[in-house]
Amino acid sequence: MTADMHRASDTDALAGRFAQLFGALAGNIERVIRGKRENVELALLCLLSEGHLLLEDVPGVGKTTLARTIAASVDARWTRIQFTPDLLPSDVTGVSIFNQSNNQFEFHPGPIFANIVVADEINRGSPKTQSALLEVMEERRVTVDGQPNPVPRPFMVIATQNPVDMDGTYPLPEAQLDRFLMKISMGYPDHASEVAVLAGTPTGPLIDQLSKVAGRDDIKNMIDFAGRIHVAPPLYDYLVQVVATTRQHSDIRLGASPRASLALLRAVRVRAAAAGRSFVVPEDVKSLAGHVIAHRLMLTPEAELRGRTAPELVAESLSRVPVPQSTGA
């Protein structure tokens, strides 16, 4: 067996272990979040892609519960920030306080310094407070008084917002939305799942009683391994064409940026590893494009009046790009 074959065999074995741990994490979360396997897997994809997740849906469908359950399944530090109109940027990032004993300012970290940060009802925070997240979500550090302070790794922001009750809210600007790798909706559970939730409420597993399935080192190793998943040159071209097509659609005023291409690349690599593969296939791109790209698009006013939606336009963009027949896997 040649050295290349040995390396390929080792990568396949690691992909298999990646898929096992990914499945164990998803199964543990499903003990609380019933009947939402796809959403659970998408949230884990965000975590392992070193991305951030925006959960938008009506109250009571489990947005915050999903975020808390992910944090409970990983042996890592997590915090929750309840966004309100009077929340200040320093309440998120931290503040420097003068220490009289040594005549120096000392930085006291805020709740953003955690592995998983639950930003509850993020659109209720003022634009000034929302902007406090811009740097840390992109560069994974917080600059206070000119001093950069790195956040721990892994690092993920899981933000929730309610699209129905808009009184007293501040819509997220495009620059903020672009920093979320995915935006998903929970949706109502099916009948059987809702019955299971009711039946298991008195004796079922509580979030605080869930077992830790993975530690910080496990998550970091999975993130590093996903970055080594093979992507053939035709798939790079396919991915870029899918994103670029959104910039040429007549119903789209602002298409997806190169950041969307990078986000989609990270996500498809994790999806391939979660399936036990050491290489990406076109189906990975097609299955995740809508979740990664749609929230980054700005539609024209005419398209909005006609009732067009961003996911529909992403699907149209996908249909216009030829699928590569040979991916070199």
Side-chain angles (χ1 to χ4, degrees):
M1 184 179 289
T2 65
D4 288 342
M5 293 176 67
H6 273 298
R7 284 195 293 269
S9 178
D10 291 343
T11 303
D12 290 340
L14 289 172
R17 289 199 286 273
F18 186 108
Q20 288 179 350
L21 186 51
F22 187 92
L25 281 166
N28 198 54
I29 294 170
E30 276 197 306
R31 294 175 63 194
V32 175
I33 306 295
R34 304 290 184 91
K36 294 294 178 183
R37 180 75 180 201
E38 181 183 6
N39 286 337
V40 168
E41 291 185 349
L42 289 172
L44 289 175
L45 285 175
C46 275
L47 172 64
L48 298 172
S49 302
E50 291 196 287
H52 309 291
L53 178 64
L54 179 60
L55 297 171
E56 181 179 84
D57 216 321
V58 296
V61 294
K63 301 186 298 295
T64 305
T65 302
L66 173 61
R68 289 185 58 203
T69 308
I70 293 172
S73 300
V74 178
D75 188 14
R77 183 170 180 265
W78 77 279
T79 56
R80 178 177 179 270
I81 307 172
Q82 182 65 54
F83 277 71
T84 56
D86 60 348
L87 190 73
L88 299 175
S90 59
D91 295 330
V92 176
T93 61
V95 65
S96 292
I97 298 177
F98 185 72
N99 188 336
Q100 291 184 345
S101 62
N102 57 15
N103 291 325
Q104 291 182 342
F105 282 94
E106 295 180 352
F107 178 62
H108 291 250
I112 198 67
F113 287 86
N115 298 110
I116 298 176
V117 179
V118 181
D120 222 355
E121 295 189 283
I122 188 173
N123 56 333
R124 292 198 178 279
S126 67
K128 185 175 182 179
T129 303
Q130 290 177 10
S131 67
L133 295 173
L134 289 175
E135 179 188 18
V136 69
M137 288 177 68
E138 181 67 17
E139 302 179 28
R140 286 167 171 74
R141 68 178 186 181
V142 174
T143 302
V144 177
D145 295 333
Q147 295 297 319
N149 302 277
V151 293
R153 186 173 184 248
F155 174 72
M156 179 186 187
V157 174
I158 304 178
T160 70
Q161 64 177 10
N162 173 11
V164 178
D165 182 11
M166 301 303 292
D167 291 339
T169 63
Y170 303 87
L172 297 181
E174 285 69 31
Q176 187 87 57
L177 287 172
D178 202 32
R179 281 164 169 76
F180 285 100
L181 189 139
M182 290 185 195
K183 176 184 174 183
I184 64 175
S185 296
M186 294 297 292
Y188 291 111
D190 57 51
H191 179 80
S193 298
E194 193 163 0
V195 169
V197 169
L198 295 181
T201 297
T203 58
L206 300 175
I207 295 176
D208 294 337
Q209 297 172 350
L210 284 178
S211 58
K212 305 290 186 182
V213 176
R216 276 173 288 188
D217 289 340
D218 295 320
I219 299 300
K220 285 190 284 188
N221 290 337
M222 293 174 77
I223 291 170
D224 292 338
F225 173 74
R228 302 198 302 269
I229 293 295
H230 176 67
V231 180
L235 279 174
Y236 282 119
D237 184 69
Y238 176 61
L239 190 152
V240 170
Q241 284 191 61
V242 168
V243 175
T245 303
T246 66
R247 305 167 194 161
Q248 303 156 4
H249 200 293
S250 60
D251 285 338
I252 298 176
R253 180 159 52 99
L254 179 65
S257 68
R259 185 185 281 130
S261 303
L262 293 169
L264 185 55
L265 176 63
R266 298 201 309 269
V268 298
R269 278 181 156 143
V270 175
R271 187 182 188 273
R277 285 184 276 106
S278 59
F279 54 89
V280 173
V281 297
E283 184 57 35
D284 296 323
V285 178
K286 290 192 285 186
S287 66
L288 294 179
H291 299 295
V292 175
I293 298 175
H295 66 283
R296 307 170 191 267
L297 306 180
M298 292 181 63
L299 277 60
T300 63
E302 295 79 12
E304 292 179 346
L305 286 173
R306 297 200 309 272
R308 303 303 305 276
T309 64
E312 290 176 355
L313 298 178
V314 174
E316 286 184 12
S317 298
L318 277 167
S319 67
R320 295 178 181 181
V321 180
V323 180
Q325 299 303 311
S326 175
T327 60

